[in-house]
């Protein structure tokens, strides 16, 4: 009973003390704030520890435990990645095609040539003839001996034309010949195919000025190609072995191994009427 | 574990820890209504196991810690916890503290009581009481749920067994 009395007495005293404290802190709010600052200073280490601990737990939970649906999500995402990859590849193809067409269109605007944009659909399977097959033919006014170009550079000439396809003999074929001249010195000759990646610039006289790096363009004398189309660049100039002409090698400007789109000039009036003929041009 | 100084230190430790847990729960987005009043649970624990004048002082100290942490008035929580302590300690002989049910019941009642006393001491009680009654009930329930879990931890911390508590009451620190 005595203990109860003591407790009641203590409770009353401490309650009165708390009322006094409350009244004092009402009059002096700074005291309460001071207490808060003191408390914060004491508990900051604990709070930081809790914070770090919670961050670790949260990381563990979200990074390891909460992965129930990860497998399904992974499968879905993999499918999506595959789909997007094929889409990217398709768009990349379209982009390259658009770039090639833009180049052709630019040439058409600059030179004013009438022509047909074609896609390469095949190559000569035998490997003996340097030629490609395009998807346009006589129905699109494509005839034999019409020049095929890409980006202002000579690719070859139409060798044979079917109704809906045509065969283009490439510049590098052994039977190919294009009248050309050195852009810098105006030295004339004929660019002949060799069956390799390079051509020979033949019939250039000994006294002509030709240097490695010179650009060879069409001279227009063959009546097949308009004047001024780039053929290639001189990569080797050899001395004549007692003859009249120099031995010059020319690398084509166009990568003939990776053709996809060509522009066949159909509106060149001189086509097929004069100049150096290709040796095997017949309509199919 | 009955030395007054050690009790004082443990009170500071548990009080700080309890406030830290409450603060953390609020910080991680737990609604206030669901944050248990761990400090009050500690006061209830004291009212059972340190039912003496010294226990009243410790309860006052716990309330004072809460007041300091709130940054508002100094005193309302201290007064509220002292009343709660007194109310339970006077009837603690008649309550079977090992029972989870009695703990839950006492926790609900004392949480509501402490909040009401706090409001009575500090600010306009009626408007707050009516506007926050749902939150008060939520806190009371969450505190009650935590009581059976928190008490074994405190018993372990204070190394109290049932026999110790009886001896503690008969001895007291008055």
């Amino acid at each position: 009973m005595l203990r109860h009395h003591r407790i009641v007495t203590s409770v009353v005293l401490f309650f009165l003390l708390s009322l006094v404290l409350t009244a004092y802190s009402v009059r002096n709010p700074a005291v309460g704030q001071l207490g808060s600052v003191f408390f914060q200073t004491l508990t900051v280490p604990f709070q930081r520890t809790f914070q770090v601990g919670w961050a670790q737990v949260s990381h563990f939970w979200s990074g390891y435990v909460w992965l129930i649906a990860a497998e399904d999500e992974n499968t879905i995402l993999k499918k999506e990645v595959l789909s997007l990859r094929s889409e990217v590849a398709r768009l990349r193809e379209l982009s390259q095609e658009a770039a090639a067409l833009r180049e052709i269109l630019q040439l058409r605007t600059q030179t004013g040539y009438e022509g047909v944009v074609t896609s390469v659909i095949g190559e000569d399977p035998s490997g003996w003839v340097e030629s490609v097959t395009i998807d346009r033919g006589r129905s699109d006014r494509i005839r034999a001996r019409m020049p095929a170009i890409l980006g202002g550079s000579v690719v070859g000439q139409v060798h044979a034309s079917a109704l809906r396809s045509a065969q283009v003999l490439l510049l590098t074929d052994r039977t190919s010949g294009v009248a050309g001249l050195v852009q810098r010195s105006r030295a004339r000759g004929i660019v002949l195919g060799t069956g390799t990646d390079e051509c020979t610039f033949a019939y250039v006289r000994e006294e002509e000025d030709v240097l490695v790096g010179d650009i060879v363009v069409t001279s227009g004398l063959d009546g097949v190609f308009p004047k001024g189309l780039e053929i290639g660049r001189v990569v080797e100039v050899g001395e004549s072995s007692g003859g009249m002409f120099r031995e010059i090698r020319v690398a084509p400007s166009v990568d003939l191994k990776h053709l996809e789109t060509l522009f066949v000039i159909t509106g060149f009036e001189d086509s097929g009427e004069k100049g150096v003929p290709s040796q095997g041009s017949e309509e199919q | 574990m009955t030395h007054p100084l050690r009790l004082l230190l443990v009170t500071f430790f548990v009080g700080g820890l309890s406030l830290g847990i409450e603060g953390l729960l609020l910080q991680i987005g737990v609604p206030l209504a669901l944050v248990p009043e761990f400090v009050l649970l500690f006061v209830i624990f004291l009212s059972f196991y340190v039912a003496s004048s010294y226990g009243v002082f410790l309860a006052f100290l716990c309330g004072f810690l809460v007041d300091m942490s709130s940054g508002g008035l100094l005193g309302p929580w201290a007064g509220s916890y002292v009343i709660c302590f007194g109310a339970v300690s006077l009837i603690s002989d008649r309550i079977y503290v090992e029972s989870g049910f009695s703990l839950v019941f006492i926790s609900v009642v004392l949480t509501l009581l402490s909040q009401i006393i706090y409001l009575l001491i500090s600010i306009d009680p009626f408007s707050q009481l009516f506007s926050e009654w749902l939150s008060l009930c939520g806190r009371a329930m969450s505190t009650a749920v935590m009581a059976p879990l928190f008490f074994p931890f405190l018993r372990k911390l204070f190394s109290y067994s049932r026999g110790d508590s009886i001896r503690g009451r008969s001895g007291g620190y008055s």
Side-chain angles (χ1 to χ4, degrees), chain B residues 7-67:
Chain B
L7 273 174
L8 184 67
L9 291 175
V10 172
T11 300
F12 272 117
F13 172 72
V14 175
L17 186 73
S18 303
L19 287 170
I21 293 171
E22 288 178 30
L24 181 74
L25 289 174
L26 287 172
Q27 204 170 4
I28 63 175
V30 178
L32 180 67
L34 298 178
V35 176
E37 286 197 51
F38 290 105
V39 185
L40 179 66
L41 285 177
F42 181 57
V43 170
I44 295 170
F45 176 84
L46 289 174
S47 65
F48 278 110
Y49 293 97
V50 194
S52 62
S53 299
Y54 190 66
V56 178
F57 166 68
L58 293 178
F60 176 83
L61 206 61
C62 287
F64 195 68
L65 280 174
V66 177
D67 283 325

Side-chain angles (χ1 to χ4, degrees), chain B residues 80 83-84 87 108-118:
Chain B
S80 171
I83 296 289
C84 288
V108 169
V109 172
L110 284 191
T111 307
L112 293 172
L113 180 67
S114 68
Q115 300 278 354
I116 291 167
I117 295 170
Y118 171 79

Side-chain angles (χ1 to χ4, degrees), chain A residues 208-225:
Chain A
E208 293 286 3
D209 177 20
V210 182
L211 297 172
V212 172
D214 278 343
I215 293 171
V216 180
V217 297
T218 53
S219 63
L221 295 175
D222 55 14
V224 176
F225 293 93

Side-chain angles (χ1 to χ4, degrees), chain A residues 127-265:
Chain A
W128 294 105
V129 180
E130 300 286 324
S131 68
V132 293
T133 306
I134 55 175
D135 64 345
R136 301 293 176 93
R138 283 204 302 274
S139 59
D140 296 294
R141 296 176 289 113
I142 291 178
R143 301 285 184 272
R145 296 174 58 81
M146 284 182 171
I149 61 173
L150 181 64
S153 299
V154 174
V155 171
Q157 58 182 293
V158 177
H159 175 60
S161 177
L163 187 64
R164 298 189 190 283
S165 66
Q167 193 178 20
V168 175
L169 194 70
L170 300 180
L171 194 61
T172 49
D173 188 77
R174 288 187 184 84
T175 61
S176 169
V178 180
L181 58 85
V182 176
Q183 198 172 42
R184 180 181 61 83
S185 62
R186 316 309 287 178
R188 288 177 184 170
I190 297 173
V191 178
L192 299 173
T194 59
T196 65
D197 291 342
E198 292 177 348
C199 303
T200 303
F201 191 26
Y203 309 116
V204 180
R205 285 193 289 189
E206 187 71 30
E207 61 271 21
E208 293 286 3
D209 177 20
V210 182
L211 297 172
V212 172
D214 278 343
I215 293 171
V216 180
V217 297
T218 53
S219 63
L221 295 175
D222 55 14
V224 176
F225 293 93
K227 189 176 180 180
L229 295 174
E230 189 173 320
I231 297 172
R233 193 176 290 267
V234 176
V235 292
E236 187 184 337
V237 181
E239 296 297 325
S240 64
S241 51
M244 293 173 61
F245 306 108
R246 308 185 75 159
E247 291 179 3
I248 300 168
R249 299 188 71 78
V250 174
S253 299
V254 179
D255 181 7
L256 300 173
K257 295 292 181 191
H258 301 98
L259 293 171
E260 292 181 9
T261 312
L262 296 178
F263 182 68
V264 178
I265 299 173

Side-chain angles (χ1 to χ4, degrees), chain A:
Chain A
M1 201 63 181
L2 179 66
R3 186 172 64 88
H4 281 189
H5 279 297
R6 283 176 178 168
I7 289 173
V8 171
T9 309
S10 302
V11 165
V12 171
L13 285 175
F14 277 107
F15 185 69
L16 287 175
L17 178 62
S18 66
L19 289 181
V20 170
L21 272 173
T22 306
Y24 184 74
S25 59
V26 166
R27 291 197 172 197
N28 303 282
V31 177
Q33 289 164 5
L34 198 68
S36 176
V37 170
F38 175 70
F39 185 81
Q40 295 297 331
T41 311
L42 282 180
T43 56
V44 158
F46 291 104
Q47 285 178 331
R48 281 198 182 143
T49 309
F50 280 133
Q51 191 74 26
V52 170
W54 175 252
Q56 294 290 333
V57 169
S58 180
H59 173 70
F60 177 75
W61 180 262
S62 60
Y64 298 96
V65 181
W66 192 245
L67 294 174
I68 299 165
E71 192 177 347
D72 293 340
E73 194 178 346
N74 193 30
T75 309
I76 292 167
L77 288 174
K78 275 183 178 171
K79 283 181 184 172
E80 204 168 320
V81 165
L82 283 174
S83 166
L84 288 173
R85 273 186 185 161
S86 64
E87 182 70 11
V88 166
R90 194 180 68 83
L91 290 174
R92 199 173 283 159
E93 283 294 310
L94 286 174
S95 169
Q96 287 182 355
E97 192 178 330
L101 290 174
R102 199 179 303 121
E103 208 171 348
I104 288 167
L105 186 65
Q106 193 178 3
L107 173 80
R108 189 173 179 176
T109 311
Q110 284 172 353
T111 59
Y113 296 133
E114 285 296 319
V116 179
V117 177
T118 65
S119 293
V120 174
I121 57 173
E123 292 181 23
D124 177 62
S126 70
W128 294 105
V129 180
E130 300 286 324
S131 68
V132 293
T133 306
I134 55 175
D135 64 345
R136 301 293 176 93
R138 283 204 302 274
S139 59
D140 296 294
R141 296 176 289 113
I142 291 178
R143 301 285 184 272
R145 296 174 58 81
M146 284 182 171
I149 61 173
L150 181 64
S153 299
V154 174
V155 171
Q157 58 182 293
V158 177
H159 175 60
S161 177
L163 187 64
R164 298 189 190 283
S165 66
Q167 193 178 20
V168 175
L169 194 70
L170 300 180
L171 194 61
T172 49
D173 188 77
R174 288 187 184 84
T175 61
S176 169
V178 180
L181 58 85
V182 176
Q183 198 172 42
R184 180 181 61 83
S185 62
R186 316 309 287 178
R188 288 177 184 170
I190 297 173
V191 178
L192 299 173
T194 59
T196 65
D197 291 342
E198 292 177 348
C199 303
T200 303
F201 191 26
Y203 309 116
V204 180
R205 285 193 289 189
E206 187 71 30
E207 61 271 21
E208 293 286 3
D209 177 20
V210 182
L211 297 172
V212 172
D214 278 343
I215 293 171
V216 180
V217 297
T218 53
S219 63
L221 295 175
D222 55 14
V224 176
F225 293 93
K227 189 176 180 180
L229 295 174
E230 189 173 320
I231 297 172
R233 193 176 290 267
V234 176
V235 292
E236 187 184 337
V237 181
E239 296 297 325
S240 64
S241 51
M244 293 173 61
F245 306 108
R246 308 185 75 159
E247 291 179 3
I248 300 168
R249 299 188 71 78
V250 174
S253 299
V254 179
D255 181 7
L256 300 173
K257 295 292 181 191
H258 301 98
L259 293 171
E260 292 181 9
T261 312
L262 296 178
F263 182 68
V264 178
I265 299 173
T266 57
F268 183 52
E269 291 177 356
D270 289 340
S271 192
E273 292 179 6
K274 62 180 181 180
V276 180
S278 172
Q279 293 171 19
S281 56
E282 292 295 333
E283 278 195 28
Q284 285 181 342

